[in-house]
Amino acid sequence: MNGKNLFNFGPVLGYYFRKHDPNRKSNFNMKTMHFINKLSLAMFLICLVVMFVRYILPALTR
């Protein structure tokens, strides 16, 4: 693994913001799984922002 692939967030963003595919069958379990995945990813990103604001930002202003 090289450094170029380490910060390749294209597949993650593609999953998070993709459009509905009308050719793919959908059921309750798949909808629930995708909702939980998107919710957990959003919560993780919010926590990263909160950690940045609480710990790193005050250290930079000293």
Side-chain angles (χ1 to χ4, degrees):
M1 175 180 267
N2 57 18
K4 189 175 186 179
N5 291 333
L6 187 61
F7 294 105
N8 184 9
F9 296 113
V12 174
L13 294 175
Y15 168 77
Y16 196 69
F17 294 112
R18 68 180 171 190
K19 303 285 186 214
H20 176 68
D21 184 8
N23 297 327
R24 182 179 294 169
K25 289 185 176 181
S26 182
N27 60 21
F28 177 75
N29 292 335
M30 289 296 264
K31 288 181 184 178
T32 305
M33 179 193 71
H34 286 293
F35 172 76
I36 291 172
N37 285 344
K38 290 178 183 181
L39 181 65
S40 64
L41 184 60
M43 289 174 62
F44 174 74
L45 293 174
I46 290 170
C47 288
L48 283 179
V49 170
V50 168
M51 287 173 57
F52 178 78
V53 169
R54 284 188 179 176
Y55 298 111
I56 297 175
L57 202 58
L60 293 175
T61 58
R62 288 186 202 165

